[in-house]
Structure formats: C-alpha cells, structure tokens
Amino acid sequence: MLIKDVCNECKLTKKAIEYYEKQGLLHPEISENGYRKYNNKDLAVLKEISVLRKLGVSIFEIKSILKSSNKSAALSKCKFLMELKLQKATAQLISIEHLVNYYDIDKEFEIVQDSVDKLFTIKEKLIQAFPGTYGMYLCIHFGKFLNEKIDSKEKEDAYYNIINFLDYIDNFEISTELESYMEKYFSIMKKTDMEDISSNIIHAVDDVQNFIEDNRERLEEYLKIRTSEEWKATPVYKIQQLLLEFQKNSGYYDIFIPNLKILSPLYYAYIRKLEAANEILVEKYPQTKKMYD
Amino acid sequence: MLIKDVCNECKLTKKAIEYYEKQGLLHPEISENGYRKYNNKDLAVLKEISVLRKLGVSIFEIKSILKSSNKSAALSKCKFLMELKLQKATAQLISIEHLVNYYDIDKEFEIVQDSVDKLFTIKEKLIQAFPGTYGMYLCIHFGKFLNEKIDSKEKEDAYYNIINFLDYIDNFEISTELESYMEKYFSIMKKTDMEDISSNIIHAVDDVQNFIEDNRERLEEYLKIRTSEEWKATPVYKIQQLLLEFQKNSGYYDIFIPNLKILSPLYYAYIRKLEAANEILVEKYPQTKKMYD
DNA sequence: AGGACACTAACGGCGCGTCAGAGTCA
DNA sequence: ATGACTCTGACGCGCCGTTAGTGTCC
C-alpha cells in the first residue's frame, strides 16, 4: 500500500508518517523507485500510533508501548500522567475563575505558587526521575504527603532539596540490570495494583496489632517464603536488592526521605508509626529482623 | 532593579524575561553599560505574566490581556479555551482507560475519531477563526449542535465543509473597523453573559407565544428602541451591521449555516422553529420586518 | 502530455532551556 | 584579582506544518 492510502486508513498526514519513520517506529519496505510500500504490520502499527497520539500519548511513550509485552500496563503509566495533567489543568482553571471574577494578580500570585506550581512539579519529577514505573509507584505511595502546603522557610528549603535531588537522579546512571528487571517484572503492574499495595501497607502500618492478628496465617506464610533460601533465587528478591542498592547510592535515604519528613508532617508521623510497627513485628517474628539486611 | 532580583520577585527565569521582552511585552530602561533596569511598572507586568503563564495562558493571549481595558473579560476567553482543553483531556482519559482495561486498538480507533477528534476541532477552529470573542459566542450558542455524532456520509461531508470554511475564514481579511469595534464593545462581555444571551434566545425561540406574552412590556420597549432613528447612531447597531456584512462576505450564510443544518438535525429543528417564531413576531409587530434589512 | 502521486530537504513555531563567549560590577 | 553578575547569540526540543523543487506512475 502506498502512503496516500495509508493516510486515509489511519487518519494520519504524510508528514506525521514520515516523522514516525524517522523516529524509528516503523521501517516500511522501500521499492526501487524510492516509493515506500506499507504492509499490514506497518498499517497496524500506524493505526496504533494514530490512536495513541490522539489520546495525547507522546512519541517517547508510544515507543515503549510498542515494544512492551504488556501494553495495558505500559499505558497505565500514561494514564497516570494524564490524570496528573488533568488535576493540574483543573487547578489552573480554578485560579482563572478567581481572576475572571476579581482580577487581583498579587493575591493570585501567592495561590498559584503553592497550588499549581509546587504541588505538581514534585510528582512530575518523581515519575520522570525514577526508572520505569517505579516513579509512578512512589507517586502513588507518597501521594498524599505531596499535597501539603509549604508554609514555612524550612519546608521551602526541603522542597528545593527534593527538586534538586530529583533532577540529579534523572541523570543518574541506572544499572542496565535493574532496568531490564524493572521492564520485565515491574511493568506488568497497573496503577490499580500499585494503589492496592500502597493502601495495604499504609493500613498495616496504621494498626499493626490488628493487622497481625487479622492476617496471621497469610503473614506467617509470607514470612516463611521471604526468609527461605529459595526466596533469594527469585527475581523479586533480585529487584528488591537492586532497588535498595540504587536507593542507597542515589541518596534516596540520605536526601529524599529526610527532606520529605520536613516537607510533610504527615509523612513524619507515618514514618514514626512505621518504625513502631516494625519493632512490634520484629518482637513477634524475630526472623524479620534480618529480612532487610 | 536588576534582572536577578526581578527573577526572584516574579518567580521567572532570566531566559523567560528576555523572551517576554523580545515578544514586546515590556520595554525596560537600558543603562549605559547595557544592563536593564526594571521599574515598578515592569515588575507588575512581569508578575502578571508570571501568574498567567502558570495558569496556562499563551503569550499571544497575554498580549491581548495586557492591552485590554477589561482584563476579566479578556481572560474569560482563555477560561473558555481551558474548559475546552479540559473536556478534551477528560475524553482522552476515558479512552485511555478503555485501553488499559482492554487493549483493542481497532475498537478504540472508531471511538477516538468521533469523541476526541471531531467533537473538539470545530469548536477550536470556531474560536480561532472569528474575530475577538465572537468565536466564543458562536461556540456557546451552537455548542450543543456541535456535540452530535457524525453517523452518515453526508454529515461527514458537512463536517469537512465546515472545517474548510473555518480554515478559510481564519485567513479572511477582517475590516479593521469591525475589529476595533469588537475590541471596544464586545470584549466587555464575559462568558456567563454570553450564556445568558444565548439561552434567552433559545428559550424565546422555543416558545414565542409565551415569550411575547411574558415579556410584552420589555419587548415593546426594546422594539421601540431598535426601530428608532437614534438606534442607528449607536455602536451596537454599527457592530451588527459590520458583523452582518462580514458574515455575508465570508460565506457564513452560504456555507457554514447550510452545512450545520446537515451536520446537526437538532440545529435544523432549531432553525425551523426560529423561522416560525420570526413569522409570529412579524405578524404581531410588523415593524420588526425591516429591522434586519 | 498532464495531473496525481511520490521523494527529499530546509525552514518555521511555541516557550523557553542550555551552552558559549565576552563584558561589568563590588 | 576573583567571583557574581550582566549581555548577546546560536542551537535544541517535541511534533509535526509548510513551502519548494524534483522525480514517477497512469
């Protein structure tokens, strides 16, 4: 099939198709006269690109989706990004409404700093900075701690420390090993799965006693697996190790976490609970102690 | 004040400020050594730009807001654009959710064409094509007629005719007279005002008999004004004349309206009602006949 | 032979970010 | 003299649109 027909089929322009080819998204056969011949596979790819572009997915993301073995999960990250964008746009619209009702720039200036700018950049950079969908997980897990107002000098400093840290991380060398493990085992998780995990953790931390009692059987089963020797052969263990290493090397524990504690009192409270919860757990199940060594 | 301090004050980068100057948004004094000196007025302008940019307002729109005598009304147009963008983003997100749940490109391809692409481009182009806030008014007035599904070949043709017409209009020479009148008298209307006017018209058309009876006094008052000789000296009359001329010359009545009738059965029904309503009105108040001559 | 196709290549546009190189001030 | 600051200017990015010029098929 020649390009004109492809344009009609896929609702794309010539220029767009040329561009996608230049970006390496497809490689149509080129005849002797220089004309491109698109086969069914090319058509399917172009149709996929066409849909995804119209849904606002970037070429970069489309690349990873096309390569991915689990397209739904790969798209899930885009969905999350879109939701963020939507939230931001909603916040912007609210401010515009303020101004339409009463055009007071100085007043809105203060609001915009906090509600539009600061609240979103951390999340955006989190997603950017961490490999694969891990940034998204952090975003979900730390979500509510990142919505607090920055109402003191210390918090502002903490904010900028985190921003700088994330910019730094973004250029950080990730071991290709971690990256490939991520792609292989982490990318099959959708956003909803992550939310479940996160809320389970928070729920467990919130009330360890009850959690232990309610889930005694499953917990003991889980601990048996986690402390077994076979566990160390699983890819999940491997990922955990690699992630731990990455976080230690990157300054996650030295910069990100301490500053998040300052930025968010809510997070500080959560961490204290987490530590207390951990103590109780270790007391009941001493074997958990060396789990994180 | 030198640039560094201005950056801190207004939360802008040097490059951004340079860019705004190059775009002609401000003209700071330049000292002998070539350094720029920003005064309070420059600061205020930059702060305004800073806020508006963070709210997603484009430089182009900011230009017109800065010049405008009624900033709230000027912003109202941006608000409308943002709402459109938000609606589009919402529609996109819904489609992404479909795909995350079940990745079927062919199925989504059809949906995307209608719900994301076609539904919004007409409105976007309407706003673009017509001068000032008039496009926005048309958008509001024709709003619900532009949300219908394109489910036949004829409608699709009508759709493309309208799109082409709007692209053509966009490059159409507008008399500077109309433009300046628009800026002066139409720009003070906010979106909510337009909505009121539009819904009043639709309501009146929907049930002329009752409308005439309910508003007899106001109507007769209005008709007295509209048919008086003094009326022809008012700027509103002038605008109406210029707009009418513009619409006649541009093909509004020859292309846009007929195709809209095809595209939207709802609009067709509305027009028939409008004609009937007009007949009744003319019957009761013969003087209205020459009102639109 | 004419018109509808195809190709390549260069430049534009938004809103700046990112160097590079050179001058200025305290 | 040093460092913090200023200037100008060129290039880059994402995603193509827009000419412009040339070649190919029917």
Side-chain angles (χ1 to χ4, degrees), chain A residues 189-219:
Chain A
M189 256 206 273
K190 287 188 194 171
K191 197 194 129 204
T192 44
D193 303 330
M194 293 183 180
E195 280 167 350
D196 290 346
I197 293 175
S198 174
S199 82
N200 272 341
I201 292 177
I202 288 175
H203 180 241
V205 166
D206 199 44
D207 190 352
V208 225
Q209 306 283 10
N210 274 329
F211 179 79
I212 292 178
E213 279 172 33
D214 291 351
N215 303 65
R216 181 177 300 278
E217 277 185 35
R218 280 173 50 206
L219 190 62

Side-chain angles (χ1 to χ4, degrees), chain B residues 106-117:
Chain B
D106 285 332
K107 193 176 157 198
E108 211 56 31
F109 185 76
E110 306 298 328
I111 300 176
V112 166
Q113 298 305 320
D114 288 7
S115 73
V116 179
D117 230 33

